[in-house]
Amino acid sequence: MEINHILLLQFLMGLFSLVGFGKSDPNPLHDYCVANVKGPRNFFSNLVPCINPDETSVSHFATSALSEPGDMNQFNFNVTLTNINNLPGLNTLGLAMARADIAVNGLVPPHSHPRASEVSILLEGSLLVGFVDTSNRLYTQRLRSGDCFVFPKGLIHFLYNTDLVNPAVTISGLSSQNPGAQISSLATFTSKPPIPDEILIKAFKVNGQDVTRIRRNFGG
Ligand SMILES: *[C@@H]1O[C@H](CO)[C@@H](O)[C@H](O)[C@H]1NC(C)=O
């Protein structure tokens, strides 16, 4: 290849990496845009409108939403997340923070966040965590308190508390103000309306009774 072809290629790849790949939420055009969650909701866009900057206060940038654990669910965990209601100052900044409490033997089952990468620090307890990449390779690790782990955007991951005595507490930063979460088993077996049984029978190579049993196990 001629030298200027190589330079052109390098230039284009640099450009693509700037404008295309790994882009998170849109960049804010103001210092901040405190979410106006009380305004009319008959206006829809990718962002929530901001309140008048003259009316912002420090309370918009602080929250105690993650100070207490929430109630445990059927998998024995709870996740509390910041959002535009409990922390309106994060609007447009492309960030969220989550607290996960995982009881003894509790599991945050395989799930993904379609709009965010996540980095977690384990504050208390011990966890077996992992994610599967798109070539189906599993990356898994045992975490002790103080350890961090990264879950890349959109990839299926799990957190399992293998400790027999202590609950686990993690704090995560997420690269979107609205990361979204999809638990694989629930999305597959408890959607409304349901995915037709014949699809699940073929997809999981099981029979109709298996599908019924799994649906029932999830309360369906
Ligand atoms: C966590 O607990 C709160 C209430 O304490 C509940 O509203 C929420 O649905 C729970 N979240 C999960 C993921 O279990």
Side-chain angles (χ1 to χ4, degrees):
M1 221 184 314
E2 280 177 47
I3 187 80
N4 42 6
H5 281 154
I6 295 173
L7 286 176
L8 182 67
L9 199 65
Q10 281 177 346
F11 171 75
L12 286 175
M13 284 169 67
L15 196 67
F16 285 145
S17 68
L18 278 179
V19 300
F21 305 125
K23 213 159 57 171
S24 59
D25 291 4
N27 280 328
L29 299 175
H30 308 278
D31 287 355
Y32 46 80
C33 165
V34 172
N36 183 356
V37 293
K38 301 209 176 79
R41 283 302 178 91
N42 55 2
F43 168 83
F44 295 93
S45 79
N46 199 27
L47 304 172
V48 172
C50 336
I51 65 177
N52 182 333
D54 295 340
E55 288 160 20
T56 56
S57 71
V58 69
S59 68
H60 293 123
F61 298 91
T63 183
S64 301
L66 306 189
S67 63
E68 301 284 340
D71 299 325
M72 293 293 151
N73 61 17
Q74 61 174 325
F75 300 105
N76 268 324
F77 78 89
N78 186 278
V79 173
T80 322
L81 188 67
T82 63
N83 57 43
I84 54 166
N85 296 302
N86 60 25
L87 193 54
L90 267 186
N91 189 44
T92 75
L93 300 186
L95 293 170
M97 189 161 247
R99 169 191 179 133
D101 291 88
I102 310 168
V104 169
N105 216 21
L107 171 69
V108 185
H111 68 285
S112 63
H113 305 293
R115 291 177 289 276
S117 296
E118 174 175 7
V119 57
S120 301
I121 180 165
L122 179 64
L123 297 184
E124 292 169 25
S126 53
L127 283 180
L128 177 65
V129 302
F131 69 86
V132 179
D133 74 10
T134 58
S135 59
N136 233 14
R137 177 169 169 192
L138 172 68
Y139 291 78
T140 186
Q141 179 81 24
R142 279 187 188 280
L143 303 185
R144 284 180 296 188
S145 87
D147 292 346
C148 289
F149 199 78
V150 172
F151 303 107
K153 183 174 179 170
L155 298 185
I156 290 179
H157 58 283
F158 58 83
L159 302 90
Y160 179 38
N161 185 355
T162 50
D163 199 293
L164 298 176
V165 184
N166 300 304
V169 184
T170 70
I171 298 290
S172 299
L174 294 124
S175 62
S176 167
Q177 72 180 54
N178 189 17
Q182 203 167 31
I183 295 181
S184 311
S185 53
L186 297 183
T188 315
F189 285 92
T190 69
S191 67
K192 292 193 180 59
I195 295 177
D197 283 15
E198 59 199 284
I199 306 280
L200 299 178
I201 288 168
K202 283 185 189 297
F204 289 89
K205 298 190 185 292
V206 294
N207 62 38
Q209 286 166 341
D210 297 325
V211 170
T212 306
R213 195 175 69 243
I214 296 170
R215 287 197 202 283
R216 205 180 317 124
N217 289 346
F218 290 131

